[in-house]
Amino acid sequence: MEVKLVQNLDEISILRIAEIHKLNYPDDHLTSHFTLPLLCDYYSNIAELSDYSIVAYYGNEIVGFAFLGRTFESVLPRLVKNNKNKIFNFALQKPAIVFKFFLNKAFSGVYHLDSASNIRLISITSDRKYSKLRIGTTIVAKLEELQAQYKLDVGLSVRASNIKAVNFYIKNGYILEGFSKGKLFMVNKNA
Ligand SMILES: CC(C)(COP(=O)(O)OP(=O)(O)OC[C@H]1O[C@@H](n2cnc3c(N)ncnc32)[C@H](O)[C@@H]1OP(=O)(O)O)[C@@H](O)C(=O)NCCC(=O)NCCS
């Protein structure tokens, strides 16, 4: 397996990334309920906004990925703005999930975290079909190379209910910076 920094992701790669997300993300994430076309748009946005796109290949097949960026707050607003029809259809198909998402947003207030990070990690994901390859650990090793090279202190948020991911981050040296509304905020400082 090889983990690479990729400059441009073509449509086929984005589709494969969306498929891996759909099959491997926990159910309590809004995005795991997106249709594949909507997830492709979601990842096209992420790829455009990311400073570093990291992709794991097993032969020619994509088996995992992660994105580092400084402007990911605009991923969902951009997705909604540019895909009104798909979002509207999604809301019609999954009204309870969308209602719960907006209810949480409306009543959650704003959490201000004085983070030690200077870049965010989103969507690190591996295809569990290849769990023997230790894809997540290998992606983190690549992130650490980038962190050392570009002086990156990586921050992330993860649901406390996502026990596998939380333990994975702890095992890989991420430390807790804050907690709010079921989410942990963690950081890994460049060594
Ligand atoms: C979180 C995630 C990226 C971790 O990637 P992964 O490929 O499962 O990670 P690895 O296989 O490298 O390691 C995971 C675990 O398996 C263990 N493991 C795997 N293969 C192993 C081997 N050959 N020998 C020993 N341990 C092994 C690791 O030590 C680690 O242990 P743990 O289960 O006690 O935590 C992955 O589980 C995932 O895609 N989750 C869904 C998406 C998600 O929730 N992303 C995070 C959003 S915030």
Side-chain angles (χ1 to χ4, degrees):
M1 187 189 43
E2 203 185 350
V3 177
K4 294 186 203 165
L5 191 58
V6 177
Q7 299 299 338
N8 289 306
L9 285 164
D10 60 20
E11 270 182 40
I12 293 173
S13 303
I14 293 281
L15 176 61
R16 173 72 185 132
I17 283 172
E19 272 170 4
I20 294 177
H21 181 112
K22 184 94 187 135
L23 293 172
N24 294 280
Y25 244 72
D27 276 357
D28 60 351
H29 280 248
L30 177 76
T31 51
S32 72
H33 300 276
F34 281 4
T35 58
L36 216 45
L38 189 55
L39 262 182
C40 285
D41 291 331
Y42 175 70
Y43 274 104
S44 297
N45 270 322
I46 290 179
E48 268 173 43
L49 291 170
S50 76
D51 293 278
Y52 307 96
S53 302
I54 298 105
V55 182
Y57 294 88
Y58 186 54
N60 288 329
E61 185 169 28
I62 293 177
V63 292
F65 54 87
F67 295 92
L68 286 177
R70 296 184 174 88
T71 54
F72 286 145
E73 330 63 75
S74 54
V75 169
L76 275 182
R78 262 174 69 139
L79 186 73
V80 173
K81 189 169 163 232
N82 298 332
N83 298 279
K84 292 203 174 72
N85 286 344
K86 282 185 201 153
I87 296 282
F88 184 68
N89 287 333
F90 171 66
L92 284 182
Q93 280 157 22
K94 311 263 181 182
I97 287 162
V98 173
F99 181 69
K100 197 173 146 205
F101 176 78
F102 283 110
L103 201 67
N104 275 345
K105 283 253 173 243
F107 291 101
S108 62
V110 180
Y111 174 61
H112 291 289
L113 172 70
D114 195 9
S115 175
S117 64
N118 56 17
I119 198 158
R120 278 180 67 81
L121 169 66
I122 59 169
S123 280
I124 182 168
T125 310
S126 63
D127 185 342
R128 70 164 77 97
K129 209 166 71 197
Y130 296 96
S131 59
K132 289 206 172 68
L133 296 178
R134 308 206 69 185
I135 298 165
T137 306
T138 315
I139 292 175
V140 166
K142 181 71 183 178
L143 292 178
E144 282 170 1
E145 258 176 47
L146 295 172
Q147 285 181 249
Q149 194 175 350
Y150 300 109
K151 304 206 181 329
L152 305 175
D153 299 320
V154 174
L156 59 86
S157 68
V158 55
R159 276 162 211 251
S161 59
N162 193 351
I163 292 167
K164 180 157 186 180
V166 171
N167 284 326
F168 171 80
Y169 291 133
I170 292 171
K171 207 171 237 182
N172 284 291
Y174 282 75
I175 57 163
L176 193 61
E177 283 194 300
F179 175 78
S180 176
K181 295 143 216 141
K183 274 190 184 173
L184 304 176
F185 294 82
M186 305 181 92
V187 69
N188 184 281
K189 304 245 310 163
N190 133 61

